[in-house]
Amino acid sequence: MRVFVTGASGWIGSAVVPALIGAGHQVAGLARSDSSAAALTAAGAQVHRGTLDDLDSLRSAAAASDGVIHLAFKHDIAFSGDFQGAADADRRAVETFGEALAGSDRPFVLASGTLGLAPGRVATERDGRGPGSAATSLIGGAQTRRATAEMTLSFASRSVRSSVVRLPPTVHGEGDNGFMAALVGIARDKGVSGYIGDGSNRWPAVHRLDAAHLFRLALEKAPAGSALHAIADEGVPIRAIAEVIGRHLDLPVVAISPADAGEHFSWLAGFLAADSPASSALTRELLGWQPTHPGLLDDLDKGHYFDHPSGH
Ligand SMILES: NC(=O)c1ccc[n+]([C@@H]2O[C@H](COP(=O)([O-])OP(=O)(O)OC[C@H]3O[C@@H](n4cnc5c(N)ncnc54)[C@H](OP(=O)(O)O)[C@@H]3O)[C@@H](O)[C@H]2O)c1
């Protein structure tokens, strides 16, 4: 297939592109800068210059493709305070892809998340679907993103083979600059490896290369309207994560009270307090996906998160 990939230069996209090319697909990646364009060329992809706000350009790239994988998200503005603006831009891009692909039966794969799907119990692919599902515990931009995922699944009724790949909060691996790297950085800065309360709350996790494989399978064969879970570890207790970090950095592992969590963990506190396990049993059964790369604790134990002095 000729696949148009947004976010092809990002953490997950830079694993998805080789997974696609390795399987014989051609990739055109969206690039908004010279450095992203150069990275795509080096990976063997074609470059489609533009940004998420160039809707006409997104429309023509989608129309010229055999399928679209949408991974780009304005994390830069989202993490500097305008999550709603980032989610709104994302929704407009997704609407554009839906219009461009309507009636074609071509695949459209959206990256989404599992966090907050079913707090306190194991979320499955059946959660977060149907009218009102976006209302749950989510607010603002997070609610908009959930609604965008729901809209993507509804493209199935317009003859788009749409699917949503829900990612856990940590998509880990060598070179990770996300939540795990931030947690290591906070432990270094504070001189303790902390967890909130008794640390029994759980995060699901997936290795970046296993996630990339699932995006390929979704593109190739997910039935229209599929919600898929890129989950390898169903739920790793945050305390177990803190213990590996403490061992590698030779720091004490300590409980931080919920009242002090905001000051200790800053923007990460809300995420770190979540108890959000998730299953991928239905995804494995549907697509034959089987994670083969290290789980989160084994990956942390390999040591690469601790090589860089800043922890990032
Ligand atoms: N990583 C995780 O643990 C995780 C967990 C749950 C969900 N997700 C979701 O999975 C998707 C991919 O995440 P990621 O970790 O790979 O993100 P990332 O590393 O931050 O990459 C984001 C990508 O989006 C591109 N982008 C950002 N703003 C753009 C704009 N205005 N126009 C065009 N392209 C733009 C970036 O291009 P540049 O290279 O030019 O910056 C980059 O390729 C996102 O939807 C993310 O929210 C990720």
Side-chain angles (χ1 to χ4, degrees), residues 180 183-185 187-188 241 243-250 297 299-312:
M180 276 307 120
L183 199 56
V184 170
R188 272 190 214 278
I241 297 170
E243 281 167 355
V244 184
I245 294 174
R247 180 153 36 82
H248 276 269
L249 295 180
D250 202 15
L297 296 179
D299 200 16
L300 282 167
D301 234 353
K302 287 172 72 150
H304 54 83
Y305 277 94
F306 311 100
D307 291 344
H308 195 283
S310 74
H312 296 284

Side-chain angles (χ1 to χ4, degrees), residues 1-6 20 25-28 58 61-70 97 101 104-109 160-161 218-220:
M1 286 188 224
R2 286 166 302 148
V3 191
F4 179 50
V5 181
T6 73
L20 294 174
H25 301 295
Q26 291 171 34
V27 174
L58 297 183
S65 75
D66 299 315
V68 176
I69 299 179
H70 177 48
F97 290 133
L101 297 174
S104 71
D105 287 322
R106 284 182 248 152
F108 173 65
V109 186
V160 179
R161 189 161 59 76
L219 176 91
E220 291 176 346

Side-chain angles (χ1 to χ4, degrees), residues 7 9-12 32 36 51-52 71-73 75 145 167-169 171:
S9 54
W11 168 239
I12 296 167
R32 59 173 169 163
S36 298
T51 79
L52 276 176
L71 303 167
F73 192 76
H75 287 135
R145 281 203 93 177
L167 297 153
V171 179

Side-chain angles (χ1 to χ4, degrees), residues 6 52-53 55 58-59 62 68-73 86-102 108-112 144-155 158 160 162-164:
T6 73
L52 276 176
D53 299 316
L55 298 182
L58 297 183
R59 190 177 290 111
V68 176
I69 299 179
H70 177 48
L71 303 167
F73 192 76
D88 288 341
D90 183 56
R91 183 179 177 89
R92 287 191 292 272
V94 171
E95 280 167 353
T96 302
F97 290 133
E99 287 160 15
L101 297 174
F108 173 65
V109 186
L110 173 78
S112 180
T144 303
R145 281 203 93 177
R146 180 65 52 72
T148 300
E150 185 59 31
M151 177 174 71
T152 295
L153 296 175
S154 79
F155 291 163
R158 294 158 62 191
V160 179
S162 61
S163 59
V164 170

